[in-house]
Amino acid sequence: MLYKEIHIGKFIKESVDEKEITMERICNFLNKDEEFIEKMYNSKSIDTDTLLRWSKLLEYDFFRLYSSHLILYSPPSATNKNTQKSEKIPYFRKNIYTQEIKEFIMKRIISGEMTQSEVIKEYSIPKSTLHRWLQKRNDVE
């Protein structure tokens, strides 16, 4: 799964089809009509409150798609030593690498598309973390 271009409506539609949820249940849960639901399936982006409701209905964290995109494609942030201690928004100290992200990165290394050092540099993954992933993969095979 590639996280570079996210079309959230398509992901939602695929999940609905996979779980075989009826349109009636979706309309009742979201309190919307069928036309609105169909428009969402074609939408590249969706309001966060609505996306949260979809996540609950389909029992899948659609926000993780965006987190994965940030981990894989955002540039490393510059460290600002003059930051205030009392920040208004929460700061997450550790990146969470989902299984999909691990598989995506491992696939790029195994296919020869990227070297380990390129992955470390491109995605800012610690060398020890990448080696642990590779070791676990080798142990499974």
Side-chain angles (χ1 to χ4, degrees):
M1 178 183 297
L2 297 176
Y3 297 101
K4 193 158 193 157
E5 293 295 323
I6 299 171
H7 189 293
I8 197 65
K10 287 182 182 177
F11 284 112
I12 289 172
K13 176 68 173 145
E14 287 174 15
S15 184
V16 166
D17 292 344
E18 188 177 293
K19 293 187 181 271
E20 299 177 347
I21 297 179
T22 65
M23 182 62 83
E24 181 182 0
R25 181 168 177 221
I26 294 168
C27 292
N28 288 337
F29 189 86
L30 298 176
N31 200 22
K32 304 290 182 189
D33 61 7
E34 287 187 34
E35 184 180 337
F36 185 83
I37 304 299
E38 290 298 331
K39 284 182 183 177
M40 277 197 266
Y41 291 157
N42 296 318
S43 295
K44 186 170 168 48
S45 63
I46 293 178
D47 175 85
T48 55
D49 288 336
T50 306
L51 188 59
L52 181 60
R53 298 212 25 102
W54 274 113
S55 294
K56 289 176 181 178
L57 175 65
L58 298 172
E59 299 175 348
Y60 182 83
D61 182 4
F62 289 102
F63 294 97
R64 192 167 285 213
L65 298 170
Y66 295 103
S67 298
S68 299
H69 174 88
L70 289 174
I71 291 169
L72 293 172
Y73 298 107
S74 65
S77 60
T79 309
N80 186 354
K81 295 181 181 178
N82 297 328
T83 57
Q84 297 177 352
K85 294 283 183 186
S86 60
E87 295 181 10
K88 299 282 184 196
I89 59 173
Y91 172 73
F92 300 102
R93 288 182 230 155
K94 185 176 180 181
N95 287 337
I96 299 174
Y97 301 105
T98 63
Q99 190 60 38
E100 291 90 359
I101 290 173
K102 291 177 187 178
E103 290 171 7
F104 172 80
I105 291 171
M106 299 301 286
K107 185 177 174 184
R108 294 191 87 179
I109 292 172
I110 292 165
S111 70
E113 190 175 336
M114 295 181 84
T115 65
Q116 290 180 33
S117 56
E118 288 172 334
V119 167
I120 291 167
K121 185 177 180 183
E122 176 84 18
Y123 300 123
S124 301
I125 295 174
K127 186 177 182 178
S128 59
T129 301
L130 184 60
H131 287 294
R132 190 170 45 247
W133 294 351
L134 290 167
Q135 184 63 44
K136 284 182 181 178
R137 186 177 191 287
N138 289 339
D139 290 344
V140 170
E141 292 179 347

